[in-house]
Amino acid sequence: MPTAGSPQRKFRLADDALWAEYGQACRDVNGSADRSDDIRKHVEAVVAEWKKRREQS
């Protein structure tokens, strides 16, 4: 849930079955059904890797 004053980014996935399975996978792998937290962690990891590669160039 966004906090007051925070940007409200939207992520859309039209496949309801895939979204439900992703929720189950998050519960099984992460112990939590918080898909947004999982997506946020993925985005942070991708950006960190991108920055690391840029520094090495």
Side-chain angles (χ1 to χ4, degrees):
M1 188 92 186
T3 58
S6 70
Q8 296 183 12
R9 309 281 193 251
K10 293 184 181 179
F11 173 80
R12 299 197 187 277
L13 183 65
D15 188 336
D16 291 337
L18 180 60
W19 187 243
E21 289 175 342
Y22 180 60
Q24 185 61 50
C26 286
R27 280 189 290 279
D28 292 349
V29 173
N30 302 328
S32 170
D34 188 356
R35 293 172 280 211
S36 62
D37 189 46
D38 189 63
I39 293 167
R40 188 173 18 263
K41 287 177 185 176
H42 173 72
V43 170
E44 289 170 352
V46 169
V47 170
E49 179 65 24
W50 173 72
K51 287 180 177 181
K52 181 179 170 183
R53 288 182 184 192
R54 284 184 54 185
E55 290 174 0
Q56 292 174 353
S57 299

